[in-house]
Amino acid sequence: MSADAPTFAEVYPGHPEPQFEPLEFIRLPPGETLARAEAFYHEMNARRTTRHFNCDPVPQEVIEWAVQTAGTAPSGAHRQPWRFVAVQDPALKARLREAVEAEEYKTYTGRMPGEWRAALAPLGTDYVKAHLTDAPWVIVVFREKYGLDADGKRTKNYYTVESASIAVGLLIAALHHAGLVTLTHTPNPMGFLSELLGRPKNEEALMVLPVGYPAPDATVPRLARKPLKQIFQVDLGESSAGPVEP
Ligand code: IYR
């Protein structure tokens, strides 16, 4: 860094110095780090998205811990621009399903272009969203597009899609770790979800995740995950990992 690097006061004129505290960190022996990295991969690789849920209850506390895990995600300017609305009321789930299916019906029977249809054919998804009423919980994730201060004035948020999507990733991992299944569902358009769940206009639904236990006869599409060599490159690709294959 050059000697004439700007000071904090020059970069952030008029702002108080940020407050720092020591990082709490336990450094693991390298062998344990490797073992944990591998074990976590195996745990997460056992996760599957299924459309077939049963109605066995899941305690609210479990959902709350998973949402707290999601809330540990990093976010743009630490704005934490996410809200998790957990729906368990059967009547509300039924209304949610009805509204989702009305949109999805239009998508699947009309507006879905041929290429998209071809991409989904191997997964066999359709407009019938029984999981929205079968699963004991449906978590609707909203991203806070902008903040509202006490006077109702808009405050800017940053990287809200990225931030809320990272939180969803952690949520999915937490639910799987807890022994539950979920399905990432992205109804389109999503506007009706704000109205149905009484969310303010600064929030926009991002994803819908039914959560619960799989039905005894649950199935999943037969599919393979891309191997490491297809998703990973080290440096310029001359290392043992080789270049990412097209
Ligand atoms: N949102 C629709 C369609 C859909 C789109 C993709 I891309 C998927 O991977 C799965 C479904 C639906 O939820 O059915």
Side-chain angles (χ1 to χ4, degrees):
M1 205 190 295
S2 74
D4 54 4
T7 63
F8 176 85
E10 286 164 343
V11 178
Y12 300 100
H15 293 276
E17 289 271 346
Q19 300 292 303
F20 290 105
E21 60 192 13
L23 170 68
E24 279 179 36
F25 183 81
I26 298 165
R27 186 162 173 156
L28 300 171
E32 193 176 337
T33 292
L34 178 59
R36 286 169 66 137
E38 187 178 341
F40 192 64
Y41 160 72
H42 288 299
E43 180 177 350
M44 292 311 299
N45 194 36
R47 186 201 62 78
R48 291 300 309 260
T49 297
T50 184
R51 292 158 54 78
H52 307 120
F53 289 71
N54 76 8
C55 58
D56 288 352
V58 170
Q60 182 170 324
E61 219 187 337
V62 175
I63 302 299
E64 289 175 359
W65 282 117
V67 167
Q68 288 207 73
T69 300
T72 68
S75 63
H78 193 53
R79 290 294 159 89
Q80 305 172 78
W82 42 66
R83 292 290 179 281
F84 302 87
V85 179
V87 180
Q88 47 87 42
D89 174 44
L92 189 52
K93 282 192 297 180
R95 282 165 61 203
L96 184 80
R97 176 177 171 185
E98 200 181 325
V100 164
E101 286 183 340
E103 286 301 341
E104 294 294 348
Y105 182 81
K106 286 186 241 168
T107 298
Y108 280 91
T109 59
R111 55 192 173 201
M112 191 180 278
E115 188 174 0
W116 191 4
R117 219 173 275 283
L120 289 183
L123 305 178
T125 59
D126 62 19
Y127 77 90
V128 181
K129 304 297 181 190
H131 43 269
L132 293 176
T133 46
D134 292 344
W137 292 95
V138 177
I139 303 178
V140 184
V141 184
F142 289 84
R143 76 178 170 103
E144 201 184 60
K145 290 182 289 180
Y146 53 89
L148 288 171
D149 69 13
D151 308 324
K153 207 170 81 41
R154 287 185 183 205
T155 55
K156 213 174 149 17
N157 279 345
Y158 304 90
Y159 300 103
T160 59
V161 173
E162 293 85 344
S163 303
S165 299
I166 295 169
V168 170
L170 292 181
L171 179 66
I172 293 169
L175 293 168
H176 174 68
H177 186 66
L180 300 169
V181 291
T182 183
L183 165 93
T184 354
H185 173 55
T186 50
N188 186 19
M190 295 244 203
F192 66 92
L193 289 167
S194 292
E195 207 179 308
L196 193 65
L197 300 172
R199 300 311 302 170
K201 65 177 189 324
N202 61 321
E203 294 177 11
E204 189 173 279
L206 181 74
M207 247 167 267
V208 178
L209 298 106
V211 178
Y213 291 100
D217 56 352
T219 60
V220 292
R222 190 167 289 145
L223 47 79
R225 292 187 167 124
K226 289 179 181 173
L228 186 66
K229 66 179 189 324
Q230 271 184 35
I231 63 169
F232 185 55
Q233 171 176 319
V234 176
D235 296 338
L236 296 170
E238 286 135 23
S239 78
S240 55
V244 170
E245 289 174 3

